[in-house]
């Protein structure tokens, strides 16, 4: 379970950025997560909420946007995998495997290099700097 | 209310320290292997065999990662090589920061080979580079022959795959060749080695693979 430590890192970054901008409250935290990263959005959100209790991010909405895997082939092809390329095989055991099985170059069929889809990025935060009247 | 764009990559923070670790290791001409694999796959035994047969030729040190306890570290210490235990506490993987700290406790000027035993797990270590030169994954036949397709990313990103305990494959009703085929279907370029601690020849293949890495690293340094 590494969601807890990831959530700690996210929390620290969010709070320090929010405070540097004079935030009184953090309303939204928007994250980008690669489909090939071994992190679970629900668990991450749960951990973040637990850590943020009593802080200015206590009521923040935690939004995770998933990023499709992208690949690069020696033949020169670069592209992003979409859900229609993956998930054709009913026998596949997991979503992760579906994506990895689809990581062949659609042009030449060779084993392509993963160039994206493993990241975990704090994209933006929405903050409140004034007390509501 | 206003939006602040951050673009802070959480894994990149780890990757940066990993790069730093790699530079430190390169500067001291140390070749490092990250041994990943599930609990009970035989990582410790394979590392012991490698240490036993390489320590006279190459100055060897080990980082033994574990959640708690020092059992593995004491096994390596018995072989007379510098051993740094790294207890992660509650974490399921070693990260670059933990390795960076451990590197401070190793006499890198007098080390040729550093073997890092990761925490027993086929999932979390994938996301955390350590700065290693070789990412090896060990899987045993006792984990069942569907274990590879259940954990595709670790096999997709490994640079060496070891299928261990093949001598008991029949007893646990597992086809080691199917496991090899599954690994190659995910990662056609990865070398796959079948090993058993009761078969010296198979261990020799594992050890020679590490030795090849050390030699290549030393040659690259000379150029």
């Amino acid at each position: 379970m590494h969601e807890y430590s990831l959530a700690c890192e996210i929390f620290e970054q969010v709070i320090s950025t929010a405070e540097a901008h004079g935030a009184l409250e953090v309303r939204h935290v928007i994250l980008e997560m690669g489909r090939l990263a071994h992190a679970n959005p629900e668990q991450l959100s749960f951990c973040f909420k637990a850590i943020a209790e009593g802080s200015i991010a206590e009521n923040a909405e935690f939004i995770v946007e998933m990023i499709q895997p992208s690949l690069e082939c020696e033949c020169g092809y670069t592209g992003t995998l979409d859900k229609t390329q993956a998930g054709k095989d009913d026998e596949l055991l997991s979503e992760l495997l579906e994506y990895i099985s689809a990581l062949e170059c659609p042009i030449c069929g060779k084993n392509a290099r993963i160039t994206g889809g493993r990241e975990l990025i704090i994209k933006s935060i929405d903050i409140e700097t004034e007390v509501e009247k | 209310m206003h939006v602040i764009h951050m673009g802070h990559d959480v894994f990149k923070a780890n990757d940066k320290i990993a790069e730093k670790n790699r530079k430190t290791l390169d500067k001291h001409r140390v070749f490092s292997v990250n041994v990943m694999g599930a609990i009970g796959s035989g990582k410790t035994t394979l590392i012991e065999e490698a240490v036993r047969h390489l320590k006279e030729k190459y100055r060897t040190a080990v980082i033994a990662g574990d959640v708690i306890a020092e059992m593995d570290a004491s096994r390596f210490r018995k072989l007379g090589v510098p051993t740094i235990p790294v207890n992660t506490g509650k974490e399921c993987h070693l990260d670059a920061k933990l390795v960076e700290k451990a590197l401070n406790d190793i006499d890198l000027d007098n080390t040729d080979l550093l073997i890092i035993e990761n925490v027993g797990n086929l999932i979390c270590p994938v996301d955390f580079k350590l700065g290693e030169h070789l990412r090896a994954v060990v899987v045993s036949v006792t984990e069942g022959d569907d274990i590879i397709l259940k954990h595709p990313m670790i096999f997709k990103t490994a640079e060496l795959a070891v299928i261990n305990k093949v001598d008991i494959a029949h007893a646990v009703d597992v086809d080691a060749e199917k496991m090899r085929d599954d690994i190659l279907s995910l990662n056609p370029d990865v070398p796959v080695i079948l090993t058993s601690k009761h078969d010296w020849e198979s261990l020799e293949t594992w050890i020679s693979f590490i030795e090849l890495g050390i030699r290549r690293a030393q040659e690259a340094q000379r150029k």
Side-chain angles (χ1 to χ4, degrees), chain B residues 19-45:
Chain B
E19 270 167 43
K20 204 175 138 226
N21 290 346
R22 170 75 83 101
K23 276 187 190 144
T24 304
L25 291 164
D26 285 345
K27 197 178 113 200
H28 294 272
R29 303 177 182 198
V30 181
F31 177 75
S32 61
V33 190
N34 175 10
V35 183
M36 307 174 292
I39 296 164
S41 56
K43 295 185 295 297
T44 311
T45 301

Side-chain angles (χ1 to χ4, degrees), chain A residues 20-36:
Chain A
H21 285 79
L24 296 171
E25 193 186 352
V26 180
R27 289 283 178 90
H28 297 104
V29 175
I30 302 178
L31 227 65
E32 286 181 328
M33 188 189 290
R35 291 209 179 267
L36 301 177

